[in-house]
Amino acid sequence: MEIGTNLIKLVSGYAVPLTFFFILLTGMLKGVRVYDDFAEGAKEGIATVVRIIPALVGLMAAISVFRASGALDLLVFVVSPITRLLGIPAEALPLAFLRPISGSATLAMVSDLLKKHGPDSFIGRVASVMMGSTETIFYTIAVYFGSVGIKKTRYTLAAALVAEAVGVLMSVWLCSLVFR
Amino acid sequence: MLNHIWFWMLIAGFVVGAINGRIDEITRAMADSAGEAVKLSVNLLGVLCLWTGLMNVAQKSGLVNAIARLAGPVMERLFPEIPKGHPAKGAIVMNFIANFLGLGNAATPLGIKAMNELQKINGRKDTASNSMCMFLVINAASLQLIPATIIALRVSAGSKNPTEIIGVIWICSLCACLAGIAAARLFSLGGYRRSYRLRRKRPGAKGEKKGISLSSHGGRGNWK
């Protein structure tokens, strides 16, 4: 276990520098003018960020209003009877709703739950797994689609929410199976 | 769909906030988060330029295509619409790898690069292609080798065994990912049929590039 975690740390530490090294080396060997092409590619990054900003501003404003007003708490309160039926602990429930919309808020809530109930409690474990098995999909959708100017996202959000729901339910179910 | 969600999130926020007497908080939250969004974008700018620059080098040297070829069979299944040897595949694979290794700083720029490549082969520039939807949905289930942030959180909260949840996280995110892929495929079939029918009905609808026929083509209820 000890060796394993150390190895993992080593790999993740070297991953980015090695990627740079490897890409530049192959470029050089293949006769690519590495610096010129790098600068040309980097230009793309600027245009992309400019395209992302409006989408991010809109989305983050809406999310913060939704949270600051207490509407999120209300939503959690309204759906709590249903989720209690599914066995999701009431304390971890807001997390299931927060997870897709805000990464930093999720982080704050998980660390709060871990402190309050203990990381090795059932709630602590469910919160950990819930955070680990899903992504901040609203942010991802806003950034990725915003970067290329897509307006009609079709079924992306619906399918992503299916994935999210499965992740949430699985984390409760598996935790109660494995850790009890 | 995003239009509706955005609208209702804000409206619900205003109404609930007014009832709760939190109007001042809402006003402040809006201004703060708008500033934060720009800050986030500026923070992203440097890393993004770094990676798009590096990816350009990797693409020119043929490395991206080589990586895409390695993951060929799986990619073919997931993204049947991307032509053989297109750089989009390589960028997608690299984004998946970065996500899997937990390199968030690298994953977002690579993902944006992949979206740029996908947009080049997208027939309707304001509408997401099936490949884009699939790519986003797979990104929504974060398959990660080592969920480093959570382990760090658990360590700082004094867990006796901070890494014990890794196995469960793997299974959960794999299930989420598979469910997402299945849902995306299912929805794409429905969407295709509907759009096909619409196209048959109005054979003259070819001004898509100018966005003339788009309102009638992909309008309300069609892609929802």
Side-chain angles (χ1 to χ4, degrees):
Chain A
M1 194 68 205
E2 188 74 357
I3 301 168
T5 46
N6 280 340
L7 189 72
I8 285 155
K9 264 188 211 150
L10 195 74
V11 169
S12 40
Y14 270 89
V16 169
L18 270 184
T19 310
F20 263 79
F21 176 78
F22 190 66
I23 288 176
L24 292 180
L25 191 71
T26 6
M28 229 19 178
L29 289 177
K30 294 264 173 170
V32 176
R33 292 163 49 178
V34 282
Y35 181 69
D36 293 343
D37 281 329
F38 173 85
E40 192 202 318
K43 247 191 266 169
E44 226 176 275
I46 299 173
T48 303
V49 165
V50 171
R51 274 197 302 258
I52 293 172
I53 290 176
L56 262 189
V57 168
L59 199 76
M60 285 177 70
I63 287 167
S64 69
V65 165
F66 194 71
R67 282 186 59 218
S69 65
L72 179 69
D73 305 327
L74 187 72
L75 180 68
V76 168
F77 177 74
V78 168
V79 295
S80 59
I82 306 165
T83 47
R84 209 172 301 136
L85 246 138
L86 295 168
I88 302 174
E91 293 85 349
L93 185 58
L95 193 62
F97 286 94
L98 210 54
R99 187 69 190 109
I101 59 177
S102 169
S104 53
T106 302
L107 194 76
M109 182 172 275
V110 170
S111 85
D112 189 52
L113 281 174
L114 291 185
K115 246 172 238 149
K116 219 185 272 166
H117 301 277
D120 299 322
S121 65
F122 181 64
I123 291 168
R125 282 169 177 150
V126 168
S128 308
V129 175
M130 225 182 251
M131 180 180 168
S133 52
T134 45
E135 216 10 279
T136 321
I137 47 184
F138 276 70
Y139 167 80
T140 316
I141 286 178
V143 169
Y144 282 16
F145 279 141
S147 72
V148 288
I150 295 279
K151 288 191 192 76
K152 295 186 181 120
T153 59
R154 295 172 65 199
Y155 55 84
T156 310
L157 191 60
L161 286 175
V162 168
E164 150 93 16
V166 168
V168 165
L169 292 177
M170 278 296 288
S171 55
V172 176
W173 182 67
L174 257 189
C175 274
S176 60
L177 210 70
V178 174
F179 296 119
R180 255 182 190 171
Chain B
M1 192 161 189
L2 265 176
N3 278 320
H4 285 263
I5 288 180
W6 193 73
F7 173 78
W8 286 112
M9 264 172 107
L10 279 171
I11 295 303
F14 291 142
V15 173
V16 177
I19 296 167
N20 282 349
R22 292 197 195 167
I23 285 296
D24 293 342
E25 276 100 320
I26 288 180
T27 315
R28 206 175 324 121
M30 263 171 92
D32 285 354
S33 61
E36 228 162 88
V38 175
K39 226 183 281 165
L40 192 71
S41 313
V42 172
N43 283 342
L44 192 64
L45 180 58
V47 210
L48 191 63
C49 289
L50 207 59
W51 281 99
T52 48
L54 194 71
M55 278 298 282
N56 199 32
V57 176
Q59 206 169 310
K60 288 263 161 78
S61 66
L63 195 63
V64 177
N65 278 335
I67 289 169
R69 239 174 290 134
L70 277 178
V74 181
M75 293 293 288
E76 203 98 335
R77 277 280 169 94
L78 288 174
F79 304 97
E81 287 161 0
I82 305 176
K84 262 212 166 78
H86 195 272
K89 268 186 190 164
I92 291 174
V93 173
M94 291 192 66
N95 165 268
F96 287 167
I97 293 172
N99 266 326
F100 187 67
L101 294 176
L103 310 169
N105 272 342
T108 307
L110 291 171
I112 289 170
K113 175 78 189 163
M115 288 301 281
N116 276 320
E117 292 297 336
L118 286 175
Q119 179 74 328
K120 283 180 197 160
I121 48 172
N122 183 9
R124 282 171 290 173
K125 294 299 177 199
D126 74 335
T127 308
S129 65
N130 283 332
S131 305
M132 288 176 174
C133 297
M134 182 61 84
F135 176 58
L136 259 287
V137 170
I138 294 175
N139 255 287
S142 60
L143 279 179
Q144 219 183 87
L145 183 61
I146 305 299
T149 321
I150 295 146
I151 294 172
L153 278 180
R154 291 173 62 79
V155 168
S156 75
S159 168
K160 276 195 210 102
N161 191 356
T163 51
E164 68 180 353
I165 37 86
I166 290 184
V168 180
I169 290 183
W170 283 344
I171 299 172
C172 285
S173 51
L174 189 66
C175 289
C177 192
L178 292 178
I181 290 172
R185 190 41 59 80
L186 202 72
F187 295 155
S188 79
L189 292 177
Y192 175 76
R193 259 186 230 122
R194 251 174 285 161
S195 75
Y196 180 70
R197 225 185 300 137
L198 262 166
R199 219 174 290 151
R200 288 263 308 245
K201 247 189 239 164
R202 10 176 53 253
K206 277 204 167 165
E208 281 170 3
K209 257 187 195 154
K210 290 170 193 162
I212 299 164
S213 71
L214 273 167
S215 51
S216 60
H217 183 98
R220 283 200 50 156
N222 196 15
W223 294 124
K224 243 164 94 178

